[in-house]
Amino acid sequence: MRSRGIGITGISRLQVQNNKLNVVGKRLTEQRINDVKIQFRDFKTNLEEFAQKYRKNIRKDPKFRTHFQKMCASIGVDPLASNKGFWAELLGVGNFYSELGVQLINVCGVTRSQNGGLIAMSQLKQGVEKMRGSKAQKISFDDIERAISKLKILGSGFEIIKFGQTKFVKSVPTELNQDHTQVFALAHRKNGVLTKSLILKEFSWQDKRAESALRTLLSQGMAWIDTQPQEHEYWFPSLIENWLEK
Amino acid sequence: MSYAWPRYYSLPPFFTIQPVMQTQKKQLQLWCDLVLAYTRSKNIHMIDLTEAEDSELFNNKKIERKLSRQSIVIVLEYLIERGNAKWVDKTKEKIQIVWRKPLEWANIIYKWATDNGFINQICTVYELREGDMTQNEEFFGLDIQVFMQALSKLEQKGKAKVFQSESTNESGVKFFA
């Protein structure tokens, strides 16, 4: 065969070679995909066997449950994704989070008139545990956050907000702007009680601005007012421990 | 022996009638609960407005907060609205505390169930006592013990059945015709 130039014969030979390569390439890719599928299937089977074996632990132990969730996430399996099917039946996990979600909604609803729809995560957990009773499955903060993310998907308006190291759950659609958040964060640093002059001192705001932020927080029910001292005090229920206790 | 005050009795803003309606409503419910519990425990049947301001019930000396006379009137009027008190006479200087018997509450709850189409339906106790649909009812926020007593009266008469959820602590009730 002459190596110089392409020529018509050369072109068709190249084409044939290309076609052959394409076919081989395709076969290789298919093989690779199949391999991965088999690997995944095996992995999934192992995971399912694991879940069967440790079903009790998963149900009873919040820490174990969290680890299991992370394992599933690492291969892209979400036991919470559906209420039907293998996972839900095996673990009762799907229902667990749905039930928890309903309980969260209940507690937030009941306390809304006291704290305006903003509640500290620790208070929320306490409220839910009380509702569930001592015989129910134990829950962790991780469980609550997962249930909330499930609720979010349903468009419930639930949001987790962090002030410093403390997490709060906002269950109302109220938008808290920068000013409101700053006042709330200040209140958090001051054990849940503020005066207007404290705010003015801290942020060097105009009187009107502080007044407006406080009025909004008050009207949303996130703060209560005490008019009896020299200067009015603003108390934030969600920042005060045991506010909800009788 | 001193009275076992609830936690909120020591919270200063509790003694300022809140200007925001939604918050005020909750506050007044708490006040009502406190007034009823306190008067029951001390066997007090009447509240005299002229003396009320000095009573420890409305005046927490420890935290230096008290309800003003105006605020006391607001609390008492709410109590009256809920059927737990009535003015002794036209001068509106004294009120008489009225504790409804469980049977009376039973009838009120059952009437609500009938009027609102809940016969042969199931409600949770939470929904009835604290839910959105009963916010304007007299039994809204009713003391849980009294509420459950009322429900058991209805059970005795065959007008309801109370049951406990298996997985949670929630109680439910079904009303019958």
Side-chain angles (χ1 to χ4, degrees):
Chain A
M1 191 172 55
R2 266 189 306 177
S3 56
R4 245 187 341 124
I6 301 293
I8 296 182
T9 333
I11 292 175
S12 23
R13 198 178 297 122
L14 265 175
Q15 269 181 336
V16 168
Q17 272 185 344
N18 268 343
N19 286 343
K20 281 195 181 153
L21 280 170
N22 275 343
V23 168
V24 171
K26 203 162 170 235
R27 211 177 287 150
L28 272 174
T29 314
E30 274 174 3
Q31 184 77 27
R32 162 91 44 84
I33 290 176
N34 255 353
D35 282 346
V36 171
K37 275 191 184 162
I38 289 171
Q39 247 187 348
F40 184 81
R41 195 187 60 214
D42 287 345
F43 198 359
K44 194 156 178 265
T45 312
N46 287 341
L47 198 57
E48 287 171 2
E49 279 174 8
F50 179 91
Q52 281 275 22
K53 190 172 177 194
Y54 291 101
R55 161 198 216 150
K56 264 205 185 135
N57 300 66
I58 293 170
R59 285 198 195 201
K60 282 203 167 171
D61 185 348
K63 276 202 193 130
F64 196 92
R65 184 160 59 238
T66 305
H67 280 297
F68 175 72
Q69 300 269 30
K70 290 187 175 158
M71 254 176 23
C72 290
S74 71
I75 60 161
V77 170
D78 181 7
L80 308 191
S82 64
N83 276 334
K84 301 181 191 164
F86 174 79
W87 293 106
E89 277 175 40
L90 171 68
L91 304 166
V93 159
N95 284 333
F96 170 79
Y97 287 99
S98 299
E99 250 183 40
L100 183 54
V102 170
Q103 287 160 352
L104 290 170
I105 293 176
N106 271 352
V107 174
C108 289
V110 172
T111 58
R112 189 166 306 155
S113 55
Q114 291 210 38
N115 58 32
L118 195 59
I119 184 172
M121 187 65 90
S122 51
Q123 280 180 340
L124 179 56
K125 183 162 181 269
Q126 264 181 2
V128 171
E129 281 168 344
K130 210 170 163 198
M131 181 177 263
R132 291 169 66 85
S134 53
K135 298 199 188 126
Q137 273 169 286
K138 296 282 169 265
I139 55 168
S140 64
F141 284 114
D142 183 81
D143 287 327
I144 292 179
E145 293 198 32
R146 283 178 200 273
I148 288 176
S149 62
K150 204 176 184 191
L151 285 175
K152 273 180 96 160
I153 294 172
L154 299 172
S156 63
F158 270 62
E159 229 188 284
I160 299 181
I161 309 181
K162 211 171 168 192
F163 290 101
Q165 292 305 311
T166 322
K167 289 188 181 164
F168 292 83
V169 176
K170 180 165 80 75
S171 58
V172 286
T174 316
E175 285 300 321
L176 289 178
N177 68 21
Q178 184 91 298
D179 281 4
H180 305 142
T181 319
Q182 279 193 285
V183 170
F184 194 86
L186 178 62
H188 185 232
R189 296 199 291 279
K190 301 280 179 188
N191 295 319
V193 189
L194 284 183
T195 56
K196 194 164 62 175
S197 33
L198 253 170
I199 296 175
L200 296 178
K201 192 167 158 210
E202 179 81 14
F203 301 128
S204 309
W205 284 353
Q206 298 273 23
D207 189 287
K208 245 190 192 174
R209 192 171 167 187
E211 195 58 56
S212 166
L214 284 170
R215 204 174 302 144
T216 302
L217 290 167
L218 211 56
S219 73
Q220 289 301 316
M222 293 177 182
W224 287 42
I225 189 171
D226 179 10
T227 59
Q228 292 184 32
Q230 273 284 57
E231 193 189 352
H232 292 179
E233 284 180 2
Y234 296 86
W235 291 64
F236 293 77
S238 52
L239 297 174
I240 293 166
E241 255 210 78
N242 300 327
W243 177 285
L244 307 175
E245 292 285 297
K246 282 230 154 173
Chain B
M1 201 186 79
S2 76
Y3 184 71
W5 301 103
R7 164 94 170 99
Y8 52 82
Y9 178 74
S10 322
L11 288 170
F14 189 56
F15 291 82
T16 300
I17 298 295
Q18 295 301 303
V20 175
M21 265 307 120
Q22 183 86 311
T23 314
Q24 188 188 117
K25 207 170 182 180
K26 181 65 186 183
Q27 181 190 26
L28 289 177
Q29 271 164 30
L30 292 174
W31 267 114
C32 279
D33 289 348
L34 180 57
V35 171
L36 288 173
Y38 181 83
T39 51
R40 181 173 247 155
S41 129
K42 301 271 176 182
N43 225 8
I44 295 170
H45 294 261
M46 292 248 216
I47 296 183
D48 190 330
L49 262 179
T50 49
E51 296 166 2
E53 271 181 278
D54 298 318
S55 151
E56 61 173 353
L57 174 56
F58 299 117
N59 183 346
N60 186 344
K61 294 210 166 99
K62 214 164 155 199
I63 60 168
E64 292 177 337
R65 294 287 186 278
K66 62 180 194 170
L67 281 185
S68 65
R69 181 168 165 132
Q70 207 179 22
S71 301
I72 295 176
V73 171
I74 293 175
V75 169
L76 296 182
E77 290 196 325
Y78 188 74
L79 209 57
I80 292 170
E81 219 182 278
R82 267 182 46 162
N84 283 117
K86 53 185 182 195
W87 293 113
V88 168
D89 56 33
K90 272 186 237 169
T91 62
K92 296 199 179 179
E93 292 276 310
K94 281 197 195 152
I95 65 153
Q96 185 182 28
I97 312 278
V98 175
W99 292 289
R100 280 223 168 89
K101 299 204 181 72
L103 189 56
E104 288 180 75
W105 283 118
N107 291 334
I108 292 171
I109 294 167
Y110 188 75
K111 181 167 189 300
W112 173 87
T114 316
D115 292 347
N116 289 276
F118 279 93
I119 299 298
N120 288 323
Q121 300 283 358
I122 297 179
C123 302
T124 61
V125 169
Y126 161 73
E127 276 175 325
L128 290 173
R129 275 185 71 240
E130 303 181 81
D132 289 331
M133 55 186 183
T134 55
Q135 278 202 9
N136 294 317
E137 300 304 317
E138 281 183 79
F139 54 81
F140 183 80
L142 180 62
D143 176 86
I144 182 75
Q145 274 189 328
V146 177
F147 197 90
M148 296 312 285
Q149 281 173 345
L151 290 185
S152 81
K153 287 283 178 202
L154 285 178
E155 267 190 315
Q156 284 169 26
K157 290 165 68 167
K159 300 231 172 193
K161 179 95 179 78
V162 177
F163 49 91
Q164 204 85 358
S165 158
E166 274 176 13
S167 48
T168 68
N169 235 9
E170 292 185 82
S171 303
V173 54
K174 186 171 183 180
F175 296 102
F176 303 117

